[in-house]
Amino acid sequence: MLPELLQGTDAGGFLIIQDSVNYSGRHLLWSFINAALNREEAVHVLGFEVSEEELKDGLKGSHIQRLHFHDAYTDPLGWTDQPAFTVHQFCLEKLTHLIKQTSQHKPATLVIDSLSWILRHRCPPDVCKTLQQLKKGGAVRVIIGLLHADMHQRGIVGSVCHLASSVITVAPGMKGDEAVAKTTKRSKSGKVMQEEAIFCIKEDLTVVVQSKPSHLGSRQTDPEEQETDPTANLTFNLRLSDTERKAKEKLALPFVFSKEKKSALLHSGPGSGRILYEPDANDDYDQEDPDDDLDV
Amino acid sequence: MSVTRVTASMAAPANRVSKPSGERLPFNTTSFQKKTRSKLLSIPGTRPSVQNGQLLVSTGVTSLDYLLGGGLAVGTVLLIEEDRYDSYSRMILKYFLAEGVVCRHELFVAAAQDNPTDILQELPDPILDDVAIHKPVEQPRLSCEPHDSLDAMKIAWRYQNLPKVQSALASSSRFGHYYDVSKTMEPEIRQAAKCHPFYLPEHPTQSSPTHSPMLESYSALLKSLEDVIHREGFDVATPMSNSRNILRIGLHSLGSALWGDDLCCHDNPRHGHALATFLYGLRALLRSSLAVAVVTVPSHLIQNRALMGSITRLCDNAIALESFKGSERETNPLYKDYHGLLHVRQVPHLNCLVSQLPDHKDLAFKLKRKQFSIERLHLPPDLSETVSRVSRGELAGATMVASACGSGTSGNKHLDF
């Protein structure tokens, strides 16, 4: 599922890359930026955690001219006179204005690096509201946000992820540059798909999905367990040969009757009846006064 | 002597309040009078409860109706705790609304995430000529019929004709409709129903200067609901006319961050009692109107269990859906036939001290194409009175007798096997 998300085959939505201190999701985020740039889409980056130079250095060799960096790294809280972008400007009007300024033609990709910064300084319901408005509004095609899940309370992470159409949770893998991505994708019809994949990111920011380890480890152990047959070394016979089986079936068990006798015993004859009752609108169910003899 | 109840048992509270004022007829009238229900009860899509005569509407899910004691009583609130991805809770909400469309009830749909008109467009298609769907219990058959394979289980012949145990919950009589989830309802049917949408982002919320425990979004919603109920005549107090109808209220994902509520975000939310206050108001409003509400709440996000408890208490019915999607239970063989578990958190106490409890607590649901069915997870043990067992009262009596008379024969009787 990870390659499809990278290719951006979906009509849009809101994607969250959830990471923790054990493994940074920023390289995967850059891969998403790179993939979007290669598709010749305009990409707007709200950079809180990484400077413009570092990002552009990381994206060497891509079509950087379509990348629009909104610098919130130098002054995220607006302490100087000329802040480029601050946390407090994270609202629908400002962002649509910013995006409309530069890319008029096509809905753009908005990358937020990272949502954690915004969530630290703004109240979560407002952030959720803005994200939902952006998702519904026409200016942005895809929102991709990085979220450091271990920085926030579980409820905040849950609330933000509840809005997302796809969530990729990254964790370190077994070997050096490998990582495990757990992808959850919600389709519009309400269907939920989940997948786990081991991936590594190459120098040119392409993502190579190595395998789909979906419970491979646990499945390998299963056949071994089944191989040990407890009936293998028994001192007595558990099996029947064909002749033995025939002999067994020929034997009539006590109290086994013929079909006719059984049906005569079990089926009640035509003389008996049964009560079928359907409640009716005029039925009166009165628990307090069944006999109607009290002055209620 | 006969006592005729003049007032109609319409909504839950109105019934009880006005009951003592039932007039006694003059002495000379005949005592033989057929008690009939008031004409008011003939609202399409409703029926009186078998247990207590409350006016019920169907939730659109037949087995859920059964679970709730026949249906949702008019004037009550059903709380649905959403599953993690809100797929099944949303489905039940859609069933509830679709049932309203089919019964020509009026709808009120409020949401903050999706536009209510979008939700209405996704309503499932009703199966109106569904004769084949509701099959009677399978005819009992003998296990030694010719087509039976060799390894059919041989059981004692007396038990061979017993009907199969039905694990799906269903009542004997039909109430509500079946829906085909794979298709959406045709626009003509949908548009015939009158709907009042409430989409929070499009709704102007005037910030009130007074300090109130309720959020602006919730008070705007409550105000809008109140308006609709008074304007469209769903108030019980309005003069009786022939065309009474039911208002079905569907409130989606209440308490989520999009309603401006930080209930889901923090352990000690600033607006902790906002939702509870709203539900209190909603319940008070519904008690005096011909309306019934289904509220879904993303309870898996709410960190504070005590607040969730108070929210549950403020609704009449509360059920929780626990989807297997994404949990380790998905691969558990016990649950392989099901999509999730259903927990009954609260059953309504309507005009009584004790309520009817569901007979079984372990419930699971599965969403089939034509039916959302809630089933018993295990086959229940046979607790009927015919089972040979000594009841507790008898046992206590036996020991008492035995202790009184030493080792008498009367005590022995109960110890015999």
Side-chain angles (χ1 to χ4, degrees):
Chain A
M1 217 182 312
L2 193 58
E4 288 100 71
L5 284 175
L6 270 168
Q7 281 155 21
T9 41
D10 292 356
F14 176 26
L15 189 143
I16 287 182
I17 300 172
Q18 225 186 81
D19 68 354
S20 64
V21 74
N22 295 325
Y23 183 85
S24 166
R26 182 156 293 116
H27 277 93
L28 188 61
L29 183 76
W30 284 359
S31 302
F32 272 95
I33 298 175
N34 190 38
L37 288 173
N38 287 340
R39 286 196 303 270
E40 309 200 342
E41 288 174 14
V43 179
H44 292 258
V45 181
L46 301 182
F48 287 93
E49 291 186 359
V50 163
S51 69
E52 188 169 5
E53 292 76 39
E54 196 183 338
L55 175 69
K56 287 195 170 159
D57 192 45
L59 292 173
K60 253 186 311 203
S62 319
H63 309 269
I64 286 182
Q65 64 275 9
R66 273 187 299 275
L67 178 78
H68 306 282
F69 188 83
H70 304 289
D71 184 14
Y73 174 71
T74 45
D75 185 16
L77 298 175
W79 287 350
T80 60
D81 292 336
Q82 291 293 320
F85 189 85
T86 65
V87 174
H88 306 288
Q89 288 173 348
F90 187 76
C91 60
L92 179 70
E93 296 79 38
K94 280 274 177 206
L95 286 170
T96 3
H97 181 68
L98 268 183
I99 290 163
K100 284 269 163 72
Q101 261 182 344
T102 43
S103 55
Q104 296 90 349
H105 318 294
K106 240 164 59 165
T109 303
L110 179 69
V111 176
I112 304 169
D113 183 10
S114 68
L115 279 169
S116 293
W117 244 99
I118 302 168
L119 286 169
R120 290 293 294 165
H121 293 279
R122 295 284 300 273
C123 90
D126 284 356
V127 178
C128 290
K129 206 161 120 191
T130 307
L131 287 170
Q132 176 72 11
Q133 283 169 339
L134 281 170
K135 194 175 142 193
K136 290 260 164 187
V140 180
R141 196 182 75 92
V142 187
I143 311 165
I144 304 171
L146 185 65
L147 181 67
H148 308 309
D150 47 357
M151 268 178 68
H152 308 282
Q153 290 181 17
R154 228 153 36 106
I156 298 178
V157 175
S159 296
V160 175
C161 291
H162 194 63
L163 298 177
S165 49
S166 313
V167 178
I168 303 173
T169 310
V170 289
M174 301 297 235
K175 280 184 277 174
D177 54 347
E178 278 179 6
V180 182
K182 212 166 143 190
T183 314
T184 308
K185 196 173 141 195
R186 296 159 70 164
S187 66
K188 264 198 170 157
S189 59
K191 216 173 135 197
V192 180
M193 284 176 287
Q194 284 180 319
E195 199 183 83
E196 220 173 288
I198 295 174
F199 70 96
C200 68
I201 297 170
K202 286 206 239 159
E203 283 285 304
D204 58 343
L205 289 176
T206 51
V207 175
V208 182
V209 177
Q210 289 175 337
S211 64
K212 290 169 186 171
S214 55
H215 313 294
L216 259 183
S218 61
R219 233 171 249 169
Q220 275 167 354
T221 56
D222 280 344
E224 287 169 20
E225 282 174 9
Q226 280 166 6
E227 272 168 25
T228 55
D229 184 8
T231 62
N233 298 311
L234 289 175
T235 54
F236 52 88
N237 186 17
L238 259 185
R239 293 175 182 83
L240 289 175
S241 68
D242 274 352
T243 48
E244 282 167 337
R245 186 191 302 277
K246 269 177 200 150
K248 182 191 145 226
E249 273 154 15
K250 245 186 253 169
L251 193 72
L253 294 171
F255 299 109
V256 169
F257 303 136
S258 69
K259 199 179 162 190
E260 291 75 35
K261 186 171 180 193
K262 233 190 299 194
S263 59
L265 280 168
L266 291 170
H267 286 288
S268 41
S272 66
R274 102 175 19 176
I275 298 171
L276 293 173
Y277 179 68
E278 292 258 330
D280 172 35
N282 282 332
D283 281 344
D284 192 64
Y285 300 97
D286 198 340
Q287 290 177 330
E288 285 92 8
D289 190 9
D291 304 329
D292 221 3
D293 53 359
L294 300 171
D295 291 341
V296 185
Chain B
M1 195 193 316
S2 162
V3 178
T4 304
R5 207 156 285 154
V6 174
T7 48
S9 54
M10 235 167 27
N15 183 11
R16 289 300 134 157
V17 168
S18 53
K19 199 171 181 182
S21 68
E23 285 170 16
R24 198 194 287 188
L25 287 181
F27 206 71
N28 54 1
T29 49
T30 169
S31 61
F32 294 103
Q33 251 191 2
K34 183 163 169 57
K35 281 205 237 168
T36 49
R37 300 216 160 262
S38 162
K39 290 181 191 72
L40 273 171
L41 286 174
S42 61
I43 303 172
T46 65
R47 74 168 184 194
S49 162
V50 180
Q51 275 101 28
N52 50 11
Q54 297 281 347
L55 192 62
L56 300 180
V57 296
S58 170
T59 56
V61 180
T62 316
S63 41
L64 184 60
D65 284 343
Y66 176 80
L67 193 70
L68 300 173
L72 276 178
V74 171
T76 61
V77 184
L78 166 65
L79 176 81
I80 300 174
E81 296 184 17
E82 290 175 11
D83 51 309
R84 182 172 291 272
Y85 300 108
D86 187 27
S87 17
Y88 298 106
S89 48
R90 198 186 162 95
M91 205 66 230
I92 292 187
L93 184 68
K94 282 192 274 190
Y95 275 119
F96 171 74
L97 296 172
E99 181 67 27
V101 172
V102 173
C103 297
R104 301 197 172 272
H105 296 160
E106 285 192 28
L107 306 179
F108 182 99
V109 189
Q113 190 168 2
D114 302 301
N115 200 321
T117 47
D118 292 345
I119 296 178
L120 285 171
Q121 272 165 13
E122 296 168 8
L123 292 186
D125 189 33
I127 307 166
L128 292 173
D129 46 350
D130 46 354
V131 189
I133 301 303
H134 196 75
K135 278 189 216 130
V137 183
E138 200 176 303
Q139 282 300 312
R141 58 188 179 84
L142 301 174
S143 69
C144 58
E145 276 170 17
H147 64 265
D148 264 333
S149 61
L150 274 174
D151 39 35
M153 188 172 67
K154 282 188 179 164
I155 55 173
W157 63 271
R158 271 181 193 281
Y159 302 114
Q160 280 172 357
N161 259 11
L162 289 182
K164 280 191 177 170
V165 176
Q166 247 194 332
S167 64
L169 305 177
S171 60
S172 56
S173 59
R174 277 288 312 280
F175 188 44
H177 298 82
Y178 289 93
Y179 297 90
D180 188 346
V181 188
S182 61
K183 284 183 275 186
T184 53
M185 191 181 276
E186 282 170 33
E188 295 90 64
I189 310 176
R190 201 176 65 228
Q191 277 146 16
K194 197 169 173 192
C195 179
H196 310 275
F198 179 97
Y199 184 39
L200 184 66
E202 286 173 2
H203 206 86
T205 51
Q206 58 274 50
S207 49
S208 54
T210 55
H211 179 76
S212 86
M214 208 159 26
L215 285 170
E216 281 116 41
S217 53
Y218 291 148
S219 48
L221 175 60
L222 200 60
K223 185 88 182 43
S224 160
L225 256 174
E226 219 171 337
D227 277 353
V228 168
I229 284 174
H230 290 310
R231 199 176 59 226
E232 309 286 331
F234 292 108
D235 215 328
V236 172
T238 53
M240 315 263 173
S241 65
N242 284 331
S243 59
R244 296 307 292 263
N245 205 349
I246 300 283
L247 180 70
R248 281 178 185 247
I249 303 166
L251 310 177
H252 180 247
S253 231
L254 227 52
S256 75
L258 292 177
W259 284 94
D261 200 339
D262 57 353
L263 184 67
C264 293
C265 300
H266 304 294
D267 289 341
N268 283 313
R270 201 149 26 104
H271 308 295
H273 295 289
L275 183 56
T277 316
F278 168 76
L279 287 173
Y280 206 71
L282 175 71
R283 202 170 167 192
L285 186 65
L286 289 196
R287 279 291 192 263
S288 60
S289 45
L290 283 174
V292 57
V294 168
V295 178
T296 73
V297 166
S299 70
H300 59 97
L301 296 175
I302 296 176
Q303 304 300 312
N304 194 330
R305 287 290 106 189
L307 283 175
M308 194 56 222
S310 69
I311 288 166
T312 308
R313 290 276 165 257
L314 281 168
C315 297
D316 297 289
N317 305 282
I319 58 167
L321 300 176
E322 181 189 344
S323 163
F324 295 147
K325 201 78 208 173
S327 78
E328 68 272 15
R329 285 182 163 157
E330 196 177 6
T331 49
N332 191 328
L334 173 62
Y335 302 124
K336 68 178 174 6
D337 292 334
Y338 301 105
H339 288 140
L341 296 181
L342 188 139
H343 308 283
V344 178
R345 298 268 194 251
Q346 174 141 309
V347 285
H349 306 262
L350 297 171
N351 311 325
C352 58
L353 294 175
V354 284
S355 54
Q356 186 223 3
L357 287 161
D359 55 349
H360 205 258
K361 287 257 165 79
D362 290 316
L363 298 163
F365 65 85
K366 61 180 162 193
L367 179 63
K368 292 181 279 194
R369 193 166 72 88
K370 290 189 174 171
Q371 201 181 349
F372 185 98
S373 75
I374 300 164
E375 298 180 3
R376 302 184 179 96
L377 189 56
H378 314 283
L379 296 181
D382 192 355
L383 294 174
S384 59
E385 288 172 358
T386 51
V387 174
S388 58
R389 92 176 56 208
V390 183
S391 73
R392 190 165 294 170
E394 260 176 39
L395 206 66
T399 49
M400 221 165 64
V401 169
S403 61
C405 316
S407 56
T409 47
S410 57
N412 246 354
K413 185 182 79 185
H414 294 282
L415 297 174
D416 271 343
F417 286 101

